Amino acid sequence: MDAFYLLAVLACPVGMGAMMWFMMKGNRQPGATPPPQDKTAGFAGPDPRQQELDFLRKEVADLRAKADSRPEAPAQEHTR
């Protein structure tokens, strides 16, 4: 009876592994080499991630400049 439970517990991971292996095996073509990986493939213009990073850096710089130009407020005590 213990062997039946062990078989039931292992059926899912073994089945998933076999399914993944068959799917990967089916995608390969004999003698074909994988295409080269190009990091800029699919982008018609500048990298949108770089644009977002530049925008966020400018926003942080603006906020820091704004915070530096304000006079310091006296510290407030928090009471409960």
Side-chain angles (χ1 to χ4, degrees):
M1 195 66 165
D2 289 335
F4 175 74
Y5 288 121
L6 180 63
L7 182 64
V9 168
L10 292 178
C12 183
V14 170
M16 285 293 272
M19 195 180 335
M20 288 173 55
W21 183 73
F22 281 118
M23 289 175 72
M24 291 299 293
K25 183 179 173 188
N27 287 339
R28 293 189 201 146
Q29 297 173 355
T33 58
Q37 295 287 331
D38 186 10
K39 292 182 180 179
T40 60
F43 293 119
D47 187 1
R49 294 174 293 178
Q50 186 63 41
Q51 289 178 337
E52 179 73 14
L53 185 61
D54 292 342
F55 174 78
L56 291 173
R57 284 183 175 152
K58 182 182 178 306
E59 188 174 4
V60 167
D62 291 345
L63 289 172
R64 285 185 177 158
K66 190 176 184 181
D68 289 342
S69 67
R70 288 191 332 195
E72 288 189 29
Q76 296 177 355
E77 285 189 33
H78 294 284
T79 58
R80 292 185 176 210

